[in-house]
């Protein structure tokens, strides 16, 4: 690279020419029209084209003009672009006049070909609400900077005929904008207007159109407390008035959802602030092009009905992200429930006809349209914790953007994910394409969803799995499917090892050894027992179990996961003997015969598999203090207990309960005794919850100290669903460095099992490299 316009004879003649390479996220994001317009504004002649290494500009003009041009490229790129680097080299002036966009010559990387879905941009929003604009009131307005992408693509190349927009030929106005390099809609595949594009329709539960204006009808129905199924980008949402308690109860009853919080959509950030605390980072996340659901702390004393998020002080909020949403919000509602359109944990409904069948028993009316959703894609879920954005579900808005992983060449590796919160990923040449949220696989529909999504993903990326990594649990549907995928090599991966590798890869450290503090619900151990509170050491190739929580029997196995009080009884009987039995009778006597069954299971060791799950310890304590005795969604007890913690300076001073560590086993015997003692003394539940969290932190800190001393490792990777607990996350990042450790947390994939596939893929890649290279 030469300094700009220095010592160049051409500059003395008044003109310079440079070959400029712009690297970063610059393809499929409207970068070429941006360059085209900018070049014309600055008086630059030449050309722009997409190439493998980025966008290449041939820029010729007066030195000052070229300087202004380059500064603007860096300073004001399009909304979706991210400029990592701008480099240039001088060329002899060629006497260019005009500026042109040169067609791509191939060689562009696959990641550029299918972009993620993007929330409505400010320009399109303005047009949708401008009575003078031809997009006025149109629910499908979009441009290069916004709109559907991944959810409408059938196959490569990403071109209109290969999307579900193929059935809508462009009208002359749309075609003109589409072909005009200076236009915001240049090569925006889903462009549409009221003349040529999809149309919205309101129908009843029998599929019969409702006469009249759809918007007014929707508002009337919502005001009556009706439940609507609304077709969004990646699937249907179930919608009702978030302030109507009867509607909320009815939706819970029909959806088969007892307590799992509903997400809401708020008209704008001002509405969000009325109900929730919103800091700058949270606001940025909420209004980002990815438009995720953000978990926010609720303001105390608002009039929000408890049925929205029973037992919780937080609320999952998103803003409208399609023009259709925006138009619905022009009515009398400023807060609507916008929850996944499915029954219980089944996959999201996406086809109109099937939605009628699948959601017919839940929704009274359907607000749908005739643009097909090709790829199902749930809303993403995120939270700002200790100043870091943590993804709890990485889906719409992020998929299929790859996660960068510093692995080299080699086969395409599939990590097929776990059984809950399933995602899978395809790793190729340092790019891990993590799928959308597939969800729970404990039913056949989930497995079918995984299988069809995998086929679609492979087709979209034009790659096929050659090596597979999967969980060693013998009963996981994902693992059974992994054995059927045609591949050269398959590697069984231990659950918590995958978590460690996922966290390392997420931080770009695939060659690092670290101490993994993996806290989650349940994972299958090589010894056939259920693990879940694991201090391991290792890398992306192998691991050693250094320390773990002492296992306690789970009476009834899965039944204990759904009934935390059962696990509480197990802890009481295991650690406190006859005293514990009396306490169990006192606290859980209401369960009558079931309690006797649990006691017998524990006495005989029948149907009571031992588990060292961190989630189970949380379950036990949540049940002991009476916060949650029945769990109706994954992690409920831990989430509800976590919300009671005093997350302020006082919290840390409340002290810890006793525990012991002997020969790698962490015993919570003293902890359980301490909790019971506090309960009997009438100590407030908030204090007990905080002390318990402090105890878990101290267990981790002491275990890490010892493992660090024994292994010499100074890096600690935190992974597993428990790390979504704000207090644990913040305090672990605060305290572990005091002992000289570097702390790694997740950055691009969730700490929960939604990030497992990345670890499986990296481990399988490493093992393959060791065997085959
Ligand atoms: Zn737009
Ligand atoms: Zn049109
Ligand atoms: Zn896990």
């Amino acid at each position: 690279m030469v300094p700009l316009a220095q010592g160049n004879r051409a500059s003395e003649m008044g003109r310079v020419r440079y070959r400029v390479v712009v690297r970063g996220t610059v393809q499929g994001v409207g970068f070429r029209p941006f360059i085209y317009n900018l070049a014309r504004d600055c008086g630059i002649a030449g050309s722009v084209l997409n190439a493998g290494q980025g966008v290449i500009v041939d820029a010729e003009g007066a030195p000052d003009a070229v300087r202004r041009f380059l500064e603007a490229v860096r300073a004001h790129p399009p909304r979706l672009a991210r400029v990592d680097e701008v480099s240039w080299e001088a060329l002899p002036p060629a006497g260019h006049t005009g500026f042109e966009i040169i067609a791509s010559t191939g060689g562009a990387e696959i990641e550029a070909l299918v972009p993620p879905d993007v929330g409505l941009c400010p320009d399109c929003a303005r047009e949708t609400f401008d009575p003078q604009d031809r997009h006025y009131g149109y629910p499908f307005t979009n441009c290069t900077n916004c709109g559907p992408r991944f959810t409408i693509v059938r196959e490569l190349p990403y071109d209109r005929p290969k999307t579900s927009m193929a059935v809508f030929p462009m009208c002359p106005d749309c075609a003109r904008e589409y072909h005009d390099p200076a236009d915001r809609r240049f090569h925006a595949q889903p462009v549409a207007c009221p003349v040529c594009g999809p149309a919205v329709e309101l129908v009843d539960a029998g599929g019969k159109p409702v006469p009249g204006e759809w918007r007014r009808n929707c508002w009337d129905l919502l005001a009556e407390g009706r439940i609507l199924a609304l077709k969004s980008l990646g699937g249907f949402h179930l919608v009702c008035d978030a302030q109507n308690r009867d509607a909320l109860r009815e939706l819970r009853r029909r959806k088969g959802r007892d307590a799992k919080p509903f997400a809401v959509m708020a008209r704008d950030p001002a509405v969000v602030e009325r109900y929730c605390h919103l800091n700058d980072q949270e606001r940025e996340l909420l209004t980002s092009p990815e438009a995720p659901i953000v978990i926010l702390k609720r303001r105390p004393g608002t009039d929000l009905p408890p049925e929205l998020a029973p037992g919780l002080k937080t609320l999952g909020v998103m803003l409208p992200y399609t023009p259709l949403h925006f138009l619905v919000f022009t009515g009398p509602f400023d807060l609507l429930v916008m929850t996944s359109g499915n029954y219980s944990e089944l996959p999201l409904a996406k086809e109109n006809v099937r939605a009628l069948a699948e959601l017919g028993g839940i929704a009274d009316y359907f607000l749908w349209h005739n643009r097909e959703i090709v790829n199902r894609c749930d809303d993403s879920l995120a939270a700002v914790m200790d100043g870091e954005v943590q993804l709890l579900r990485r889906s719409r808005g992020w998929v299929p953007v790859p996660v960068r992983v510093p692995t080299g060449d080699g086969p395409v590796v599939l990590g097929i994910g776990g059984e809950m919160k399933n995602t899978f990923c395809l790793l190729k040449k340092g790019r891990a394409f993590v799928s959308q949220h597939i969800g729970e696989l404990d039913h056949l529909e989930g497995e079918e969803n995984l299988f069809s999504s995998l086929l679609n993903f492979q087709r979209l990326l034009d790659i096929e799995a050659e090596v597979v990594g999967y969980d060693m649990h013998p009963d996981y549907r994902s693992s059974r499917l992994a054995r059927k995928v045609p591949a050269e090599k398959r590697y069984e991966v231990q659950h918590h090892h995958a978590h460690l590798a996922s966290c390392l890869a997420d931080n770009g450290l695939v060659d690092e050894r670290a101490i993994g503090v993996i806290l989650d619900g349940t994972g299958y151990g090589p010894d056939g027992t259920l693990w879940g509170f694991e201090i391991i050491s290792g890398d992306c190739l192998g691991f050693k179990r250094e320390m773990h929580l002492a296992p306690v029997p789970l009476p009834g196995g899965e039944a204990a996961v759904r009934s935390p009080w059962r696990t509480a009884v197990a802890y009481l009987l295991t650690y406190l003997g006859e005293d514990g039995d009396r306490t169990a009778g006192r606290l859980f006597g209401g369960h009558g015969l079931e309690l006797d069954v649990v006691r017998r299971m524990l006495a005989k060791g029948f149907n009571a598999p031992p588990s060292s799950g961190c989630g189970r310890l949380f379950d036990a304590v949540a049940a002991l203090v009476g916060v949650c005795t029945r769990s109706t969604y994954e992690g409920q007890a831990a989430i509800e207990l976590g919300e009671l913690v005093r997350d302020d300076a006082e919290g840390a001073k409340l002290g810890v309960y006793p525990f012991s560590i002997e020969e790698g086993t962490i015993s919570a015997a003293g902890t359980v005794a301490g909790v019971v003692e506090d309960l009997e003394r009438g100590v407030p539940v908030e204090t007990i919850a905080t002390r318990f969290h402090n105890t878990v932190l101290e267990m981790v800190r002491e275990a890490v100290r010892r493992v660090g001393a024994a292994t010499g490792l100074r890096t600690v990777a935190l992974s597993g669903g428990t790390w979504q607990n704000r207090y644990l996350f913040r305090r672990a990042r605060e305290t572990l460095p005091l002992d000289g450790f570097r702390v790694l947390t997740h950055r691009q994939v969730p700490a929960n099992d939604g990030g497992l596939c990345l670890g499986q893929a990296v481990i399988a890649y490493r093992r393959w490299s060791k065997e085959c290279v």
Side-chain angles (χ1 to χ4, degrees):
M1 207 194 304
V2 291
L4 191 56
Q6 197 179 46
N8 188 324
R9 267 190 53 224
S11 67
E12 290 158 25
M13 293 154 57
R15 267 177 98 76
V16 291
R17 181 177 166 223
Y18 291 94
R19 180 179 183 271
V20 183
V21 180
V22 188
R23 290 185 176 82
T25 309
V26 290
Q27 293 172 344
V29 293
F31 210 81
R32 288 173 303 160
F34 157 72
I35 292 287
Y36 179 90
N37 284 320
L38 186 63
R40 290 206 314 192
D41 288 350
C42 297
I44 301 289
S47 62
V48 56
L49 77 115
N50 267 343
Q53 67 265 51
V55 165
I56 299 179
V57 189
D58 183 345
E60 182 173 350
D64 260 10
V66 175
R67 191 187 306 277
R68 265 192 296 128
F69 172 76
L70 288 176
E71 277 166 10
V73 168
R74 252 194 290 241
H76 309 290
R79 179 173 185 238
L80 303 178
R82 203 194 66 231
V83 174
D84 291 339
E85 189 195 344
V86 182
S87 61
W88 56 81
E89 55 181 326
L91 298 175
H96 289 310
T97 51
F99 197 89
E100 60 175 337
I101 294 181
I102 298 177
S104 303
T105 48
E109 296 291 332
I110 42 177
E111 69 184 280
L113 296 182
V114 184
D117 299 70
V118 182
L120 188 70
C121 78
D123 289 328
C124 287
R126 194 175 24 74
E127 289 172 351
T128 307
F129 291 103
D130 176 2
Q132 306 306 317
D133 194 276
R134 64 190 188 88
H135 299 91
Y136 179 58
Y138 186 56
F140 306 95
T141 310
N142 69 81
C143 74
T144 325
N145 298 324
C146 73
R149 299 285 189 275
F150 170 66
T151 53
I152 59 165
V153 187
R154 272 182 232 289
E155 57 186 334
L156 292 177
Y158 173 54
D159 253 333
R160 192 174 177 106
K162 307 283 191 183
T163 71
S164 57
M165 286 303 291
V167 296
F168 302 103
M170 280 182 275
C171 71
D173 282 338
C174 286
R176 183 178 41 73
E177 293 180 346
Y178 178 89
H179 291 294
D180 177 2
D183 197 274
R184 203 173 87 247
R185 297 204 163 85
F186 179 63
H187 283 191
Q189 304 307 337
V191 290
C193 76
V195 175
C196 65
V200 67
E201 185 180 43
L202 179 69
V203 300
D204 66 18
K208 208 165 105 271
V210 180
E213 210 263 318
W214 65 267
R215 260 198 283 183
R216 186 146 301 282
N217 285 333
C218 283
W219 299 333
D220 290 346
L221 291 167
L222 290 168
E224 284 171 24
R226 302 302 187 115
I227 296 162
L228 264 54
L230 182 152
K231 193 174 180 181
S232 291
L233 276 182
F236 276 82
H237 278 126
L238 288 163
V239 186
C240 74
D241 175 5
Q243 308 274 13
N244 185 327
R245 300 184 69 169
D246 291 335
L248 293 171
R249 280 191 211 117
E250 186 61 16
L251 178 55
R252 288 207 174 275
R253 190 185 67 75
R254 293 189 196 172
K255 198 169 148 60
R257 185 160 174 164
D258 292 332
K260 194 173 177 182
F262 284 140
V264 298
M265 189 178 273
R267 176 188 288 143
D268 53 40
V271 172
V272 178
E273 270 191 294
R274 200 150 78 219
Y275 299 108
C276 300
H277 297 286
L278 190 63
N279 65 30
D280 289 347
Q281 263 181 310
E282 288 163 338
R283 178 189 299 272
E284 195 183 321
L285 191 57
L286 204 57
T287 56
S288 68
E290 290 86 1
I293 299 169
V294 182
I295 309 289
L296 298 172
K297 282 190 189 153
R298 278 151 74 164
R299 286 185 193 281
T302 66
D303 59 351
L304 286 182
E307 287 83 357
L308 278 178
L312 300 186
K313 293 176 191 160
T314 52
L315 189 64
V317 187
M318 62 183 146
L319 293 174
Y321 57 84
T322 72
L324 182 56
H325 298 151
F326 276 91
L327 290 165
V328 168
F329 274 101
T330 53
F333 302 96
D334 54 19
L335 199 67
L336 293 170
V337 164
M338 213 38 96
T339 184
S340 314
N342 54 3
Y343 178 76
S344 196
E345 299 289 346
L346 294 180
L348 208 56
K350 73 180 178 76
E351 287 102 7
N352 289 2
V353 177
R354 286 188 58 182
L356 269 191
E358 289 168 17
L359 304 178
I362 307 177
D364 299 305
Y365 291 86
F366 289 75
L367 182 62
W368 66 22
H369 54 75
N370 52 349
R371 186 180 67 205
E372 187 195 336
I373 296 170
V374 176
N375 296 302
R376 178 183 283 120
C377 201
D378 286 68
D379 294 316
S380 293
L381 194 57
V384 176
M385 289 167 39
D386 195 23
E388 304 275 342
V389 172
Q390 291 287 294
L391 290 177
L392 313 181
R393 187 201 289 155
R394 184 186 186 273
S395 205
R396 177 185 51 74
W398 274 272
V399 177
V401 179
V403 172
R404 300 272 174 172
V405 181
T407 54
D409 277 352
V412 175
V413 186
L414 166 68
I416 202 156
E419 193 76 345
M420 308 291 278
K421 298 184 165 63
N422 177 277
T423 62
F424 59 86
C425 97
L426 289 159
L427 171 65
K428 188 194 178 186
K429 287 188 188 169
R431 293 185 180 86
F433 295 90
V434 180
S435 79
Q436 71 269 43
H437 171 76
I438 304 296
E440 316 313 330
L441 300 185
D442 52 359
H443 40 68
L444 191 61
E445 289 87 345
E447 185 176 336
E448 285 168 358
N449 184 21
L450 169 57
F451 187 62
S452 62
S453 301
L454 175 59
L455 293 182
N456 280 355
F457 224 63
Q458 294 197 137
R459 194 172 58 230
L460 281 186
L461 299 170
D462 199 19
I463 54 181
E464 268 181 34
E466 296 161 280
V467 171
V468 181
Y470 63 97
D471 197 284
M472 60 169 45
H473 198 300
D475 300 329
Y476 275 10
R477 285 176 192 263
S478 57
S479 303
R480 289 213 299 267
L481 192 63
R483 291 184 202 107
K484 289 187 224 153
V485 173
E488 293 159 22
K489 285 264 179 200
R490 289 184 186 76
Y491 298 96
E492 209 175 63
V493 179
Q494 200 278 324
H495 189 95
H496 302 96
H497 183 209
H499 272 298
L500 168 63
S502 174
C503 188
L504 290 173
D506 205 345
N507 285 276
L509 299 169
V510 293
D511 298 313
E512 188 108 355
R513 279 181 67 76
I515 300 168
V517 180
I518 318 300
L519 307 186
D520 70 355
T522 295
Y524 193 82
D527 58 1
T529 69
L530 302 174
W531 294 13
F533 192 124
E534 308 300 320
I535 318 295
I536 62 179
S537 65
D539 54 23
C540 291
L541 200 54
F543 79 103
K544 180 173 172 231
R545 191 187 201 194
E546 300 279 359
M547 291 193 178
H548 59 89
L549 188 70
V552 162
L554 293 186
E558 273 301 303
V561 178
R562 288 190 299 274
S563 301
W565 71 268
R566 285 182 173 223
T567 310
V569 173
Y571 265 96
L572 289 171
L573 268 59
T574 304
Y575 287 134
L576 307 183
E578 281 181 17
D579 277 354
D581 193 61
R582 271 192 297 279
T583 306
R586 191 161 50 75
L587 293 177
F588 307 116
H591 293 282
L593 279 179
E594 206 183 335
L595 175 59
D596 294 336
V597 171
V598 167
R599 280 172 164 146
R600 272 202 298 280
M601 280 175 174
L602 290 167
K604 294 191 174 144
F606 168 72
N607 191 17
S611 162
S612 66
C614 181
R616 303 294 79 80
L617 178 61
F618 274 78
D619 283 356
V621 173
L624 284 176
V625 300
V627 167
C628 180
T629 54
R630 295 251 181 224
S631 174
T632 62
Y633 61 92
E634 202 208 348
Q636 181 178 348
I639 292 170
E640 292 184 4
L641 191 67
E643 294 232 342
L644 293 175
V645 169
R646 289 197 55 173
D647 194 356
D648 54 22
E650 293 306 304
K653 294 181 197 153
L654 288 173
V656 299
Y657 293 117
F659 66 91
S660 64
I661 302 182
E662 267 170 57
E663 289 181 7
T665 302
I666 306 165
S667 169
T671 311
V672 176
V675 169
V676 171
E677 211 172 289
D678 268 358
L679 263 182
E680 282 167 358
R681 284 171 36 217
V683 172
V685 175
E686 288 77 8
T687 306
I688 299 178
T690 311
R691 266 184 202 147
F692 169 66
H693 279 70
N694 289 345
T695 309
V696 170
L697 280 162
E698 199 48 44
M699 286 173 175
V700 166
R701 196 170 170 187
E702 183 55 31
V704 166
R705 270 189 206 126
R706 295 191 192 189
V707 174
T711 61
L713 295 171
R714 305 313 290 171
T715 300
V716 180
L718 308 181
S719 190
T722 303
W723 291 110
Q724 288 166 203
N725 180 305
R726 284 173 197 262
Y727 186 71
L728 294 182
F729 184 85
R730 179 175 69 74
R731 295 281 321 278
R733 281 159 50 96
E734 182 182 290
T735 55
L736 292 173
L738 300 178
D739 299 331
F741 291 97
R742 172 172 66 146
V743 178
L744 303 177
T745 55
H746 282 275
R747 302 155 71 95
Q748 308 168 79
V749 297
N752 62 40
D753 285 5
L756 207 61
C757 62
L758 179 62
Q760 292 172 342
V762 172
I763 290 168
Y765 172 82
R766 270 279 181 271
R767 291 193 183 151
W768 174 88
S769 303
K770 196 177 172 211
E771 276 177 29
C772 305
V773 179

